[in-house]
Amino acid sequence: MLEQQQWLLYKTKGCHLCDNAENLLMQAQCVLPMTWQYIDIALDENLVTQYGSKIPVLLSLTGQQLDWPFSLLDIQKIMVNECQ
């Protein structure tokens, strides 16, 4: 059984791809033990530099990263890898 995992979703307001990613996370949360925190990269110049051309980006607290585009299957695979 998978343990509750916490993730960071780097995105910004007005980004339709970011909204799509958040919708995927809401779907995944229905069947996977996960939570995430939304981080708006526009509020931090370093985050804009690091993720500005990649958002949305899903990052685990242990450093696993998914850059867009990703799917529900990608989210599931990375969660399983986190538990191993």
Side-chain angles (χ1 to χ4, degrees), residues 1-3 5 7 31-34 60 62 64 66 72-84:
M1 184 170 182
L2 295 175
E3 295 179 19
Q5 295 181 27
W7 297 83
V31 294
L32 297 169
M34 67 179 301
S60 75
T62 61
Q64 295 248 15
L66 281 177
L72 284 172
L73 183 57
D74 296 325
I75 294 169
Q76 181 181 13
K77 285 179 183 177
I78 200 169
M79 285 189 68
V80 169
N81 287 339
E82 281 286 303
C83 290
Q84 295 178 350

Side-chain angles (χ1 to χ4, degrees), residues 5-75:
Q5 295 181 27
Q6 295 181 352
W7 297 83
L8 301 175
L9 178 63
Y10 291 102
K11 63 178 253 181
T12 194
K13 292 180 182 176
C15 170
H16 73 282
L17 296 176
C18 300
D19 295 338
N20 292 345
E22 194 156 23
N23 286 334
L24 279 177
L25 290 174
M26 285 188 265
Q27 291 174 32
Q29 192 176 41
C30 292
V31 294
L32 297 169
M34 67 179 301
T35 60
W36 71 92
Q37 178 182 354
Y38 159 68
I39 305 292
D40 190 339
I41 67 163
L43 304 176
D44 184 318
E45 187 175 321
N46 291 328
L47 292 178
V48 170
T49 300
Q50 187 171 3
Y51 297 112
S53 64
K54 297 179 184 180
I55 60 170
V57 173
L58 185 62
L59 184 69
S60 75
L61 296 182
T62 61
Q64 295 248 15
Q65 181 172 314
L66 281 177
D67 296 339
W68 190 260
F70 52 83
S71 67
L72 284 172
L73 183 57
D74 296 325
I75 294 169

